[in-house]
Coordinates of all heavy atoms in Angstrom, one line a residue:
L1 N -25.4 -66.7 -28.7 CA -25.5 -65.3 -29.0 C -26.3 -65.1 -30.3 O -26.4 -66.1 -31.1 CB -24.1 -64.8 -29.3 CG -23.1 -64.9 -28.1 CD1 -21.7 -64.6 -28.6 CD2 -23.5 -63.9 -27.0
T2 N -26.9 -64.0 -30.4 CA -27.6 -63.7 -31.7 C -26.6 -63.5 -32.8 O -25.4 -63.3 -32.5 CB -28.5 -62.4 -31.6 OG1 -27.6 -61.3 -31.4 CG2 -29.5 -62.5 -30.4
R3 N -27.1 -63.5 -34.0 CA -26.2 -63.2 -35.2 C -25.5 -61.8 -35.0 O -24.3 -61.7 -35.3 CB -27.0 -63.3 -36.5 CG -26.2 -63.1 -37.7 CD -27.1 -63.2 -38.9 NE -26.3 -63.3 -40.1 CZ -26.4 -64.4 -40.9 NH1 -27.2 -65.4 -40.7 NH2 -25.6 -64.4 -42.0
G4 N -26.3 -60.8 -34.7 CA -25.7 -59.5 -34.5 C -24.7 -59.5 -33.4 O -23.6 -58.8 -33.6
Q5 N -24.9 -60.1 -32.3 CA -23.9 -60.2 -31.2 C -22.7 -60.9 -31.7 O -21.5 -60.4 -31.4 CB -24.5 -60.9 -30.0 CG -25.6 -60.1 -29.3 CD -26.3 -60.9 -28.3 OE1 -26.4 -62.1 -28.3 NE2 -27.0 -60.2 -27.3
L6 N -22.8 -62.0 -32.4 CA -21.6 -62.7 -33.0 C -20.8 -61.8 -33.9 O -19.6 -61.8 -33.8 CB -22.1 -63.9 -33.7 CG -22.4 -65.2 -32.9 CD1 -23.0 -66.2 -33.9 CD2 -21.2 -65.7 -32.2
F7 N -21.5 -61.1 -34.8 CA -20.7 -60.2 -35.7 C -20.1 -59.0 -35.0 O -19.0 -58.6 -35.4 CB -21.6 -59.8 -36.9 CG -21.9 -61.0 -37.8 CD1 -23.1 -61.2 -38.3 CD2 -20.8 -61.8 -38.2 CE1 -23.4 -62.2 -39.2 CE2 -21.1 -62.9 -39.1 CZ -22.3 -63.1 -39.6
V8 N -20.7 -58.5 -34.0 CA -20.1 -57.4 -33.2 C -18.8 -58.0 -32.5 O -17.8 -57.4 -32.6 CB -21.1 -56.8 -32.2 CG1 -20.3 -55.9 -31.2 CG2 -22.1 -55.9 -33.0
I9 N -19.0 -59.1 -31.9 CA -17.8 -59.7 -31.2 C -16.7 -60.0 -32.2 O -15.5 -59.8 -31.9 CB -18.2 -61.0 -30.4 CG1 -19.0 -60.6 -29.2 CG2 -17.0 -61.9 -30.1 CD1 -19.6 -61.8 -28.4
A10 N -17.0 -60.5 -33.4 CA -16.0 -60.8 -34.4 C -15.3 -59.6 -34.8 O -14.1 -59.5 -35.0 CB -16.7 -61.5 -35.6
N11 N -16.0 -58.4 -34.9 CA -15.4 -57.2 -35.3 C -14.5 -56.7 -34.2 O -13.4 -56.2 -34.4 CB -16.4 -56.1 -35.6 CG -16.8 -56.1 -37.0 OD1 -16.3 -55.2 -37.8 ND2 -17.7 -56.9 -37.4
V12 N -14.9 -56.8 -32.9 CA -14.1 -56.4 -31.8 C -12.9 -57.3 -31.7 O -11.7 -56.8 -31.5 CB -14.9 -56.3 -30.5 CG1 -14.0 -56.0 -29.3 CG2 -16.1 -55.3 -30.6
A13 N -13.0 -58.6 -31.9 CA -11.9 -59.5 -31.8 C -10.9 -59.2 -32.9 O -9.7 -59.4 -32.8 CB -12.4 -60.9 -31.9
A14 N -11.4 -58.6 -34.1 CA -10.5 -58.3 -35.2 C -9.9 -56.9 -35.0 O -9.1 -56.4 -35.8 CB -11.3 -58.3 -36.5
G15 N -10.2 -56.2 -33.9 CA -9.5 -55.0 -33.6 C -10.3 -53.7 -33.7 O -9.8 -52.6 -33.4
E16 N -11.6 -53.8 -34.1 CA -12.5 -52.7 -34.1 C -12.9 -52.3 -32.7 O -13.3 -53.2 -31.9 CB -13.7 -52.9 -35.0 CG -13.4 -53.1 -36.4 CD -12.9 -51.9 -37.2 OE1 -12.8 -50.8 -36.6 OE2 -12.5 -52.1 -38.3
T17 N -12.8 -51.0 -32.4 CA -13.1 -50.6 -31.0 C -14.2 -49.6 -30.9 O -14.7 -49.3 -29.8 CB -11.8 -50.1 -30.3 OG1 -11.4 -48.9 -31.0 CG2 -10.8 -51.1 -30.2
R18 N -14.6 -49.0 -32.0 CA -15.6 -47.9 -32.0 C -16.9 -48.4 -32.7 O -16.9 -49.1 -33.7 CB -15.1 -46.7 -32.8 CG -13.9 -46.1 -32.1 CD -13.3 -45.0 -32.9 NE -12.3 -44.3 -32.2 CZ -12.2 -43.0 -32.1 NH1 -13.0 -42.2 -32.6 NH2 -11.2 -42.5 -31.4
A19 N -18.0 -48.1 -32.1 CA -19.3 -48.5 -32.6 C -19.5 -48.0 -34.0 O -20.1 -48.8 -34.8 CB -20.4 -47.9 -31.7
A20 N -19.1 -46.8 -34.3 CA -19.3 -46.3 -35.7 C -18.6 -47.2 -36.7 O -19.2 -47.5 -37.8 CB -18.8 -44.9 -35.8
D21 N -17.4 -47.6 -36.4 CA -16.6 -48.5 -37.3 C -17.3 -49.8 -37.5 O -17.4 -50.4 -38.6 CB -15.2 -48.6 -36.9 CG -14.4 -47.3 -36.9 OD1 -14.8 -46.4 -37.8 OD2 -13.5 -47.1 -36.1
I22 N -17.7 -50.4 -36.3 CA -18.4 -51.7 -36.4 C -19.7 -51.6 -37.2 O -20.0 -52.5 -38.0 CB -18.7 -52.2 -34.9 CG1 -17.4 -52.4 -34.2 CG2 -19.6 -53.4 -34.9 CD1 -17.5 -52.6 -32.7
A23 N -20.5 -50.5 -37.0 CA -21.7 -50.3 -37.7 C -21.4 -50.3 -39.2 O -22.2 -50.9 -40.0 CB -22.4 -49.1 -37.2
R24 N -20.4 -49.5 -39.6 CA -20.1 -49.4 -41.0 C -19.7 -50.8 -41.6 O -20.1 -51.1 -42.7 CB -18.9 -48.4 -41.2 CG -18.6 -48.1 -42.6 CD -17.5 -47.0 -42.8 NE -16.6 -46.7 -41.7 CZ -16.8 -45.8 -40.7 NH1 -17.8 -45.0 -40.7 NH2 -15.9 -45.6 -39.8
N25 N -18.9 -51.6 -40.8 CA -18.5 -52.9 -41.3 C -19.7 -53.8 -41.5 O -19.7 -54.6 -42.4 CB -17.5 -53.5 -40.3 CG -16.2 -52.9 -40.4 OD1 -15.8 -52.1 -41.3 ND2 -15.4 -53.2 -39.3
L26 N -20.7 -53.7 -40.6 CA -21.8 -54.6 -40.6 C -23.0 -54.0 -41.5 O -23.9 -54.8 -41.7 CB -22.3 -54.8 -39.2 CG -21.4 -55.6 -38.3 CD1 -22.0 -55.7 -36.9 CD2 -21.0 -56.9 -38.9
G27 N -22.9 -52.8 -41.9 CA -24.0 -52.2 -42.7 C -25.2 -52.0 -41.9 O -26.3 -52.1 -42.5
I28 N -25.1 -51.7 -40.6 CA -26.3 -51.4 -39.8 C -26.1 -50.1 -39.1 O -25.0 -49.5 -39.1 CB -26.6 -52.5 -38.8 CG1 -25.5 -52.8 -37.8 CG2 -27.0 -53.8 -39.6 CD1 -25.7 -53.8 -36.8
S29 N -27.1 -49.6 -38.5 CA -27.0 -48.2 -37.8 C -26.1 -48.3 -36.6 O -26.0 -49.3 -35.9 CB -28.4 -47.7 -37.4 OG -28.9 -48.5 -36.3
R30 N -25.6 -47.1 -36.2 CA -24.8 -47.0 -35.0 C -25.6 -47.3 -33.8 O -25.2 -47.8 -32.8 CB -24.2 -45.6 -35.0 CG -22.9 -45.6 -34.2 CD -22.1 -44.3 -34.3 NE -23.0 -43.1 -34.4 CZ -22.6 -41.9 -34.7 NH1 -21.3 -41.7 -34.8 NH2 -23.4 -40.9 -34.7
Q31 N -26.9 -46.9 -33.9 CA -27.8 -47.1 -32.8 C -28.0 -48.6 -32.5 O -28.1 -49.1 -31.4 CB -29.2 -46.4 -33.0 CG -29.1 -45.0 -33.0 CD -28.6 -44.3 -34.3 OE1 -28.4 -45.0 -35.3 NE2 -28.4 -43.0 -34.3
A32 N -28.2 -49.4 -33.6 CA -28.3 -50.8 -33.5 C -27.1 -51.5 -32.9 O -27.2 -52.3 -32.0 CB -28.6 -51.5 -34.9
V33 N -25.9 -51.0 -33.3 CA -24.6 -51.5 -32.8 C -24.5 -51.1 -31.3 O -24.1 -52.0 -30.4 CB -23.4 -51.0 -33.6 CG1 -22.1 -51.3 -32.8 CG2 -23.4 -51.7 -34.9
S34 N -24.9 -49.9 -30.9 CA -24.9 -49.5 -29.5 C -25.8 -50.3 -28.7 O -25.4 -50.7 -27.6 CB -25.3 -48.0 -29.4 OG -24.3 -47.2 -30.0
Q35 N -26.9 -50.7 -29.2 CA -27.9 -51.6 -28.5 C -27.2 -53.0 -28.3 O -27.3 -53.5 -27.2 CB -29.2 -51.7 -29.2 CG -30.2 -52.7 -28.5 CD -31.5 -52.8 -29.2 OE1 -31.8 -52.0 -30.1 NE2 -32.3 -53.8 -28.8
I36 N -26.6 -53.5 -29.3 CA -25.9 -54.8 -29.2 C -24.8 -54.7 -28.2 O -24.6 -55.6 -27.4 CB -25.5 -55.3 -30.6 CG1 -26.7 -55.6 -31.5 CG2 -24.6 -56.5 -30.4 CD1 -26.3 -55.9 -32.9
I37 N -24.0 -53.7 -28.3 CA -22.9 -53.5 -27.3 C -23.4 -53.4 -25.9 O -22.8 -54.1 -25.0 CB -22.1 -52.2 -27.7 CG1 -21.3 -52.4 -29.0 CG2 -21.2 -51.8 -26.5 CD1 -20.6 -51.2 -29.5

């Protein structure tokens, strides 16, 4: 997996379920997280 994919999976595994919250945690745009999702 790419680094971005790993960090999105880590956030989801930690209980984050919304793209906006994952984006905030990772410090990237919601659009970038939506693409990774």
